Amino acid sequence: MAVEESLRNKRLYKVFIGILKALPLLFALVAALNTILSFLAIDLIILSYIGSISFLSLLFLYLSSYVFNFCAYHRIFLDYAVINNIINVIDLYVGIPITDLGMLCVQMMILFVVLVIALILYLKKKHGK
Protein backbone atom coordinates (compact mmCIF):
# COMPACT_ATOMS: atom_id res chain seq x y z
CA MET A 1 0.00 0.00 0.00
CA ALA A 2 2.83 2.41 0.85
CA VAL A 3 4.49 1.71 -2.53
CA GLU A 4 1.29 2.54 -4.43
CA GLU A 5 0.83 5.74 -2.46
CA SER A 6 4.46 6.69 -3.08
CA LEU A 7 4.05 6.11 -6.83
CA ARG A 8 0.82 8.13 -6.86
CA ASN A 9 2.56 10.99 -5.03
CA LYS A 10 5.46 10.89 -7.51
CA ARG A 11 3.04 11.03 -10.43
CA LEU A 12 1.13 13.87 -8.81
CA TYR A 13 4.41 15.72 -8.22
CA LYS A 14 5.46 15.25 -11.87
CA VAL A 15 2.07 16.45 -13.12
CA PHE A 16 2.23 19.48 -10.82
CA ILE A 17 5.74 20.40 -11.97
CA GLY A 18 4.73 19.92 -15.61
CA ILE A 19 1.74 22.20 -15.25
CA LEU A 20 3.79 24.74 -13.31
CA LYS A 21 6.36 24.80 -16.11
CA ALA A 22 3.70 25.08 -18.82
CA LEU A 23 1.62 27.87 -17.25
CA PRO A 24 3.95 30.75 -18.20
CA LEU A 25 4.04 29.57 -21.80
CA LEU A 26 0.24 29.26 -21.85
CA PHE A 27 -0.16 32.75 -20.38
CA ALA A 28 2.20 34.13 -23.04
CA LEU A 29 0.40 32.31 -25.87
CA VAL A 30 -3.01 33.53 -24.71
CA ALA A 31 -1.68 37.09 -24.37
CA ALA A 32 -0.23 37.03 -27.91
CA LEU A 33 -3.38 35.47 -29.35
CA ASN A 34 -5.56 38.01 -27.56
CA THR A 35 -3.43 40.86 -28.95
CA ILE A 36 -3.69 39.60 -32.52
CA LEU A 37 -7.43 38.89 -32.31
CA SER A 38 -8.11 42.28 -30.70
CA PHE A 39 -6.38 43.98 -33.62
CA LEU A 40 -8.62 42.01 -35.99
CA ALA A 41 -11.66 43.25 -33.99
CA ILE A 42 -12.38 39.76 -32.67
CA ASP A 43 -13.11 40.17 -28.99
CA LEU A 44 -13.09 36.91 -27.09
CA ILE A 45 -13.75 37.88 -23.50
CA ILE A 46 -12.68 34.43 -22.31
CA LEU A 47 -9.13 35.11 -23.55
CA SER A 48 -9.00 38.26 -21.48
CA TYR A 49 -9.99 36.30 -18.38
CA ILE A 50 -7.62 33.42 -19.08
CA GLY A 51 -4.71 35.65 -20.02
CA SER A 52 -4.96 38.14 -17.19
CA ILE A 53 -2.57 37.46 -14.37
CA SER A 54 -3.29 38.74 -10.90
CA PHE A 55 -0.42 39.98 -8.79
CA LEU A 56 -0.76 37.07 -6.36
CA SER A 57 -0.78 34.47 -9.16
CA LEU A 58 2.24 36.12 -10.69
CA LEU A 59 4.05 36.12 -7.35
CA PHE A 60 3.24 32.44 -6.87
CA LEU A 61 4.52 31.51 -10.33
CA TYR A 62 7.74 33.48 -9.94
CA LEU A 63 8.40 32.09 -6.44
CA SER A 64 7.61 28.56 -7.58
CA SER A 65 10.03 28.89 -10.47
CA TYR A 66 12.81 29.71 -8.01
CA VAL A 67 11.78 27.15 -5.38
CA PHE A 68 11.75 24.34 -7.96
CA ASN A 69 14.91 25.66 -9.67
CA PHE A 70 13.39 26.31 -13.07
CA CYS A 71 15.77 27.97 -15.48
CA ALA A 72 15.31 31.48 -16.85
CA TYR A 73 13.86 29.92 -20.01
CA HIS A 74 10.62 29.18 -18.14
CA ARG A 75 10.43 32.64 -16.58
CA ILE A 76 10.90 34.52 -19.87
CA PHE A 77 7.34 33.67 -20.88
CA LEU A 78 6.05 35.02 -17.58
CA ASP A 79 8.06 38.17 -18.24
CA TYR A 80 6.38 38.54 -21.64
CA ALA A 81 2.90 38.13 -20.16
CA VAL A 82 3.70 40.75 -17.52
CA ILE A 83 5.11 43.20 -20.08
CA ASN A 84 2.07 42.66 -22.31
CA ASN A 85 -0.32 43.28 -19.40
CA ILE A 86 1.57 46.41 -18.33
CA ILE A 87 1.40 47.84 -21.85
CA ASN A 88 -2.32 47.06 -22.07
CA VAL A 89 -3.07 48.64 -18.69
CA ILE A 90 -1.08 51.78 -19.56
CA ASP A 91 -2.87 52.01 -22.89
CA LEU A 92 -6.26 51.53 -21.22
CA TYR A 93 -5.86 54.06 -18.41
CA VAL A 94 -3.37 56.60 -19.79
CA GLY A 95 -3.45 56.00 -23.52
CA ILE A 96 -0.48 55.36 -25.74
CA PRO A 97 -0.58 57.76 -28.69
CA ILE A 98 -0.09 55.26 -31.52
CA THR A 99 -2.48 53.60 -33.93
CA ASP A 100 -3.83 50.11 -33.41
CA LEU A 101 -1.46 48.86 -36.09
CA GLY A 102 1.41 50.60 -34.32
CA MET A 103 0.43 48.95 -31.03
CA LEU A 104 0.26 45.56 -32.72
CA CYS A 105 3.73 46.14 -34.20
CA VAL A 106 5.15 47.13 -30.80
CA GLN A 107 3.67 44.08 -29.12
CA MET A 108 4.80 41.75 -31.92
CA MET A 109 8.33 43.18 -31.69
CA ILE A 110 8.31 42.50 -27.96
CA LEU A 111 7.04 38.98 -28.63
CA PHE A 112 9.80 38.46 -31.22
CA VAL A 113 12.50 39.65 -28.79
CA VAL A 114 11.14 37.39 -26.06
CA LEU A 115 11.04 34.41 -28.42
CA VAL A 116 14.64 35.03 -29.51
CA ILE A 117 15.74 35.31 -25.86
CA ALA A 118 13.79 32.14 -25.03
CA LEU A 119 15.47 30.31 -27.90
CA ILE A 120 18.91 31.45 -26.78
CA LEU A 121 18.20 30.41 -23.18
CA TYR A 122 16.84 27.06 -24.33
CA LEU A 123 19.86 26.35 -26.50
CA LYS A 124 22.24 27.34 -23.70
CA LYS A 125 20.39 25.01 -21.33
CA LYS A 126 20.35 22.20 -23.89
CA HIS A 127 24.05 22.48 -24.68
CA GLY A 128 25.11 23.13 -21.09
CA LYS A 129 26.79 26.48 -21.61
Side-chain angles (χ1 to χ4, degrees), residues 23-128:
L23 276 177
L25 179 60
L26 291 174
F27 277 125
L29 287 173
V30 167
L33 182 62
N34 196 24
T35 298
I36 293 167
L37 290 177
S38 291
F39 175 74
L40 298 173
I42 301 171
D43 242 351
L44 296 178
I45 302 298
I46 189 74
L47 287 182
S48 296
Y49 285 117
I50 292 171
S52 65
I53 303 174
S54 73
F55 176 74
L56 293 176
S57 300
L58 180 65
L59 182 64
F60 172 76
L61 289 171
Y62 272 114
L63 285 174
S64 297
S65 72
Y66 285 104
V67 168
F68 293 110
N69 294 320
F70 296 165
C71 64
Y73 166 74
H74 295 286
R75 283 187 288 277
I76 193 72
F77 297 111
L78 260 182
D79 296 338
Y80 169 73
V82 169
I83 291 168
N84 188 333
N85 281 344
I86 288 171
I87 289 173
N88 289 336
V89 167
I90 290 171
D91 189 37
L92 179 66
Y93 290 109
V94 178
I96 299 175
I98 57 176
T99 64
D100 289 345
L101 180 60
M103 180 62 79
L104 179 68
C105 289
V106 166
Q107 291 193 352
M108 290 300 106
M109 284 188 284
I110 293 169
L111 177 62
F112 177 75
V113 168
V114 166
L115 289 175
V116 168
I117 292 170
L119 180 62
I120 290 168
L121 291 171
Y122 178 76
L123 291 175
K124 279 185 179 180
K125 175 186 164 193
K126 210 58 162 165
H127 296 294

